[in-house]
Amino acid sequence: MGQGIRSAALEASVAGAANVLRGAREVVLLAHVQPDADALGSALALGIALHRRGVRVTVSFGATSGADERVPESLRSLDEYGLLVPAAEVPAAPEVLVACDTADIGRLGSLAGLLDTAGTSILVDHHASNPGFGTVRVLDPAAEATVMLVRRVLAALGEPLDAVIGRCLYAGLATDTVGFRTAGPGAHRLAAELVEAGVEVEPLIRRIVDTHPFSWLQALAGLLADARLEPDAAGGRGLVHTSVPAAVVAAFGQEEVESVVGHLRTAAEADVAAVFKQVGPQRWALSLRGKGSVDLSAVAVALGGGGHHDAAGAVGDGDLAEVRAALRAALTAVTG
């Protein structure tokens, strides 16, 4: 499919999503399990705009076995209108369901069944591994963040930007581009538009990525001390990895635990960084980050997960040695 055809198809899906939302009276917007800034920022930005139009809006996210159902503390301030509710309070059969930044149906966790009970479902996502689901699919792997697609839907709805919606969009944009290191021209243009709309960048980003309890520093030191380097893994490109035991996962917020892989990624000797987070007695959530030489989306898919070329994840069952071995095997299969 040529670029022009892809662009036309995307424009048609954006218009289709806007048409559905324009006539809706009740909308449920879902982020993926253990939501990050792109997922929750996308759901809240669109939810706030619809709330202002008089729509009954509910924003939430599900959970999987062992997954944390708490809203990340660093993202709570994005919910200006109190639209976020626990999964148990989500309407059972919404008129319209919007799944934001959700790479596959399983990423909706305990709320995946709403796809069957909703009158109409809309997918807004940018994961290359997404197989596509929902009645209307705004799916574009070329977008650096899902918030970029939400911005297009908002424009199609004729909704103006302001600092409240802008903060939600900027949070997802800045974090999913790793502080704009992977951002293209379109992402930078959107960032400028959001700043012009009144977003105060420094306090927003400081709260999301640069604020942790002091006790986390000691815990992080231990996790990094346990890190291991395997220079021959990933076809000789190198793998650095560590694990986060269940006690540490339970003691700290998602923003702390998810930050570990970013520290490992700085190791010069490895192109792949991996963190195994214990979310059950024999269950591990895997976060992968890369530097461009390995398709981590393909690695994650081989492990039953998904994601992007340089950022992906999966969930594995077994003891730590077994899930580590599974990762090594998947890396070998992808890199040769």
Side-chain angles (χ1 to χ4, degrees), residues 243 252 332:
S243 61
F252 295 96
T332 298

Side-chain angles (χ1 to χ4, degrees), residues 2 10 53 74 104 123 131 179 209 215 217 220 230 249 259-260 279:
L10 179 60
R53 295 169 71 97
S74 63
D104 58 61
L123 169 68
V209 301
S215 57
L217 300 181
L220 177 62
E230 299 184 23
V249 172
S259 71
V260 178
V279 295

Side-chain angles (χ1 to χ4, degrees), residues 138-183:
V138 182
L139 177 60
D140 183 15
E144 291 96 325
T146 294
V147 293
M148 297 185 69
L149 302 174
V150 169
R151 173 66 186 108
R152 296 181 74 154
V153 175
L154 290 172
L157 282 168
E159 288 296 321
L161 291 180
D162 64 6
V164 175
I165 291 176
R167 289 173 68 250
C168 297
L169 297 176
Y170 197 100
L173 186 63
T175 54
D176 253 38
T177 60
V178 198
F180 293 94
R181 280 176 284 179
T182 62

Side-chain angles (χ1 to χ4, degrees), residues 28-244:
V28 170
L29 300 107
L30 299 181
H32 57 65
V33 296
Q34 295 183 301
D36 58 11
D38 193 28
L40 208 54
S42 293
L44 284 169
L46 193 51
I48 289 168
L50 293 171
H51 173 75
R52 290 172 174 173
R53 295 169 71 97
V55 179
R56 293 193 302 275
V57 171
T58 301
V59 178
S60 191
F61 56 92
T64 57
S65 175
D68 193 347
E69 295 185 47
R70 294 173 295 178
V71 177
E73 188 63 35
S74 63
L75 302 179
R76 286 184 182 274
S77 64
L78 300 180
D79 185 19
E80 291 270 352
Y81 291 90
L83 302 178
L84 270 166
V85 303
E89 297 180 17
V90 174
E95 176 189 352
V96 178
L97 175 72
V98 183
C100 297
D101 197 45
T102 307
D104 58 61
I105 294 174
R107 293 287 282 162
L108 292 174
S110 56
L111 295 176
L114 293 182
L115 285 168
D116 297 324
T117 61
T120 304
S121 56
I122 299 172
L123 169 68
V124 187
D125 185 45
H126 72 131
H127 289 89
S129 62
N130 196 316
F133 60 90
T135 313
V136 180
R137 303 172 181 180
V138 182
L139 177 60
D140 183 15
E144 291 96 325
T146 294
V147 293
M148 297 185 69
L149 302 174
V150 169
R151 173 66 186 108
R152 296 181 74 154
V153 175
L154 290 172
L157 282 168
E159 288 296 321
L161 291 180
D162 64 6
V164 175
I165 291 176
R167 289 173 68 250
C168 297
L169 297 176
Y170 197 100
L173 186 63
T175 54
D176 253 38
T177 60
V178 198
F180 293 94
R181 280 176 284 179
T182 62
H188 284 284
R189 283 192 291 268
L190 177 56
E193 184 182 12
L194 297 174
V195 172
E196 289 171 348
V199 174
E200 296 183 16
V201 174
E202 195 283 328
L204 172 66
I205 299 305
R206 171 166 31 90
R207 183 183 184 93
I208 294 174
V209 301
D210 289 335
T211 301
H212 303 288
F214 177 76
S215 57
W216 170 245
L217 300 181
Q218 295 175 310
L220 177 62
L223 298 175
L224 295 180
D226 289 338
R228 296 293 179 265
L229 176 67
E230 299 184 23
D232 295 330
R237 296 169 179 84
L239 166 68
V240 60
H241 59 85
T242 193
S243 61
V244 185

Side-chain angles (χ1 to χ4, degrees), residues 232-238 293-295 298-299 327-336:
D232 295 330
R237 296 169 179 84
S293 66
V294 179
D295 184 359
V299 173
L327 172 60
R328 294 188 190 101
L331 284 169
T332 298
V334 169
T335 60

